[in-house]
Amino acid sequence: MITKEITVQNQVGLHARPATFFIQKANEFKSSIWVEKEERRANAKSLLGVLSLGIKGGTTIKIVADGVDEEIAMAKLEELIVSGFAE
């Protein structure tokens, strides 16, 4: 299991469109992936779960990946967040 804190770079955070990109990327991997904001945790493969966290731009989140492809999953999700979801 690996954990990493990442600051959401885009201005609007994980609203519908970026959240969709995020969960699509998370679903490419076999590992279990979770997103944590403060004391709350959501399945990174669930659109409603990710949206329920209310992640705004500039927020630092924690991503937890556990499974056979956890390292590549973490790298790809971090790359997506740091890019600002190409917005």
Side-chain angles (χ1 to χ4, degrees):
M1 177 168 50
I2 55 175
T3 303
K4 188 158 200 167
E5 288 191 357
I6 304 170
T7 301
V8 177
Q9 302 293 323
N10 65 330
Q11 293 180 349
V12 294
L14 282 178
H15 65 84
R17 186 167 173 243
T20 299
F21 293 151
F22 184 81
I23 65 146
Q24 286 174 341
K25 185 60 70 180
N27 275 300
E28 292 177 10
F29 305 100
K30 293 181 181 180
S31 295
S32 295
I33 305 170
W34 299 91
V35 180
E36 297 178 356
K37 177 189 164 203
E38 298 162 356
E39 301 296 318
R40 298 180 60 207
R41 176 185 254 206
N43 184 339
K45 297 179 181 185
S46 163
L47 181 59
L48 288 176
V50 172
L51 289 175
S52 74
L53 295 176
I55 300 168
K56 299 187 185 320
T59 301
T60 298
I61 59 173
K62 186 184 293 185
I63 299 178
V64 180
D66 185 22
V68 295
D69 53 0
E70 63 189 29
E71 290 184 20
I72 189 70
M74 183 67 74
K76 292 298 183 180
L77 289 170
E78 180 180 16
E79 182 181 300
L80 181 65
I81 294 169
V82 170
S83 77
F85 301 91
E87 289 194 326

